[in-house]
């Protein structure tokens, strides 16, 4: 009978030893965690002086008057519920529209075969080497002009401009909507 108890006991003994070792390990970690004595600063560290100065400084604490006040007129639960329902409906609509898009092109051989004829009709020829040399010469001339003229350049908006800016652009006719309003106009 005692032998049966001893055979059943090893599981409990092992469990007790494991629990005891975990408890002792936690106590050792807790001692290191809750030890509030400051660590020593390495005097050879490049920020040693800043660390010492920061530890001796006593900055002012923020007072309770810095806490923002509660909102005066928060939205009602019904309004928030309506906004959430609208958002969910918009997300579902967007998901359906995205699902309806054509999948990305992965069959490159088929893409090339379908588009070979229109590309061949364009009769594109590679550019001559002289064209590349002319482009490089123009780029080098532009670099030199930019390096020389950057100090003499007029600030934007002060000199003549080749491109129309809002200041030099003529006003829109009354029948034409600005582009920002065209984007927001309802679709028929």
């Amino acid at each position: 009978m005692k032998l049966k108890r001893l055979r059943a006991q090893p599981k409990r003994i092992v469990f007790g030893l494991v629990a005891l070792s975990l408890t002792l390990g936690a106590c050792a970690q807790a001692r290191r965690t809750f030890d509030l004595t400051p660590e020593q600063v390495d005097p050879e560290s490049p920020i040693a002086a800043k660390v010492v100065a920061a530890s001796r400084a006593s900055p002012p604490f923020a007072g309770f008057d810095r806490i923002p006040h509660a909102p005066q007129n928060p939205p009602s639960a019904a309004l928030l519920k309506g906004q959430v329902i609208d958002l969910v409906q918009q997300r579902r609509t967007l998901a359906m529209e995205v699902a309806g898009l054509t999948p990305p092109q992965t069959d490159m051989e088929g893409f090339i075969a379908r588009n070979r004829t229109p590309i061949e009709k364009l009769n594109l020829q590679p550019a001559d080497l002289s064209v590349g040399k002319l482009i490089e010469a123009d780029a080098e001339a532009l670099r030199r002009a930019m390096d020389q003229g950057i100090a003499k350049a007029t600030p934007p908006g002060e000199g003549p401009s080749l491109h129309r800016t809002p200041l030099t652009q003529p006003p829109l006719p009354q029948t034409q909507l600005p582009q920002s309003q065209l984007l927001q106009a309802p679709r028929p």
Side-chain angles (χ1 to χ4, degrees), residues 75-85:
S76 66
L79 178 66
L80 290 176
K81 180 181 177 183
Q83 290 175 346
V84 168
I85 289 172

Side-chain angles (χ1 to χ4, degrees), residues 25-37:
C27 288
Q29 288 295 329
R31 192 175 127 227
R32 267 192 8 203
T33 303
F34 295 120
D35 185 17
L36 298 177
T37 57

Side-chain angles (χ1 to χ4, degrees), residues 42-109:
D42 181 14
E44 296 176 8
S45 172
I47 61 165
K50 291 180 182 178
V51 169
V52 171
S55 68
R56 291 184 182 152
S58 58
F61 289 100
F64 287 110
D65 59 339
R66 301 283 310 265
I67 298 173
H69 296 288
Q72 295 300 320
N73 45 356
S76 66
L79 178 66
L80 290 176
K81 180 181 177 183
Q83 290 175 346
V84 168
I85 289 172
D86 289 344
L87 181 66
V88 169
Q89 288 174 345
Q90 290 172 1
R91 186 176 57 189
R92 286 180 183 161
T93 304
L94 179 64
M96 289 188 328
E97 288 176 0
V98 168
L101 293 174
T102 57
Q105 186 64 261
T106 56
D107 177 26
M108 292 310 290
E109 296 300 323

